[in-house]
Amino acid sequence: MKLALEFDDFNPKTEVNCIDKIDTLVQRYPNIKLTFFTPALYERVPLFGNREWCSRVLRHIENNNVRLAVHGLYHTVEEFKQKSKNDALLSIVIAESVFKVAKLPFVKLFRGPHWGINENTYEALIELEYKAVFTHTDYSHLIPKYPQIKSVIYNWNLKDVDCTEKNLIIGHGHTQNVCNNGIDESYERICNFIDRNNPEFVFADEIIQ
């Protein structure tokens, strides 16, 4: 059994900064792998605005416990649902530049803030050579249109005690306590699942290779 744990909204801003909980999970499970879909300028707070936070995140990246992926630019509601292709390209390139200024490596996976995405954004991501779109069933109608890029839908909402899939589990949550699946409020469920099943940890980008 493989387990990919992924969380939305990671940023140094207080309500979405879960670095202490990451420390706790890594201490308990030294080989755990966690993927964070990270807005570059969450509510206009840049990743590089807190160098101490960046250093702590980078240590986890270098220790192979954390990977970052792109979760839009500002995290406005359905930010990428109405964009033209040029606007989507520009926003994604700006987001990437913020990661680079923060000296935080990222993998080319994308999730639209609040799940929002459209055809133009898919086309922009393909042009920018992204590996996958992590999406929602609400947007599953777009998946067959773009076979050039992998589309992934989670199968375990971390608000739930367990899931039925037993080969590859994609556990989805948030870095803050929203949707009843925040990393803090889901912590015991995650730990209980790991302790019962002893899964092989994988990053989100590893499941699409």
Side-chain angles (χ1 to χ4, degrees), residues 158-186:
L158 295 177
K159 71 181 179 64
D160 299 324
V161 173
D162 210 335
C163 60
T164 56
E165 174 62 47
K166 292 301 180 185
N167 294 316
L168 172 60
I169 298 163
I170 305 167
H172 168 69
H174 286 83
T175 57
Q176 57 183 318
N177 288 340
V178 295
C179 303
N180 298 312
N181 62 15
I183 192 170
D184 187 59
E185 59 191 343
S186 301

Side-chain angles (χ1 to χ4, degrees), residues 9-123:
D9 306 343
F10 195 38
N11 183 275
K13 190 169 183 181
T14 300
E15 64 266 28
V16 290
N17 175 7
C18 64
I19 190 69
D20 290 339
K21 188 58 68 173
I22 296 172
D23 292 344
T24 302
L25 277 166
V26 170
Q27 184 176 16
R28 182 163 178 170
Y29 306 106
N31 63 335
I32 199 168
K33 295 183 177 183
L34 307 166
T35 302
F36 292 93
F37 285 85
T38 304
L41 298 168
Y42 181 87
E43 297 183 357
R44 302 190 180 272
V45 175
L47 298 178
F48 54 77
N50 186 327
R51 290 296 181 178
E52 180 184 357
W53 181 87
C54 288
S55 295
R56 292 176 69 183
V57 174
L58 184 59
R59 282 196 295 272
H60 285 302
I61 293 173
E62 291 174 341
N63 289 334
N64 207 37
N65 293 118
V66 165
R67 285 185 186 168
L68 305 183
V70 179
H71 190 37
L73 184 56
Y74 299 111
H75 200 265
T76 53
V77 176
E78 296 185 322
E79 185 176 339
F80 285 79
K81 190 173 181 178
Q82 306 297 335
K83 284 187 181 296
S84 68
K85 182 180 176 181
N86 284 341
D87 285 345
L89 282 167
L90 179 60
S91 293
I92 295 165
V93 169
I94 292 172
E96 290 179 349
S97 71
V98 174
F99 280 88
K100 291 171 184 175
V101 171
K103 298 181 179 178
L104 291 174
F106 61 94
V107 292
K108 286 204 163 187
L109 309 181
F110 181 87
R111 175 179 286 137
H114 303 270
W115 301 107
I117 195 165
N118 63 7
E119 290 91 342
N120 295 326
T121 299
Y122 259 94
E123 291 171 8

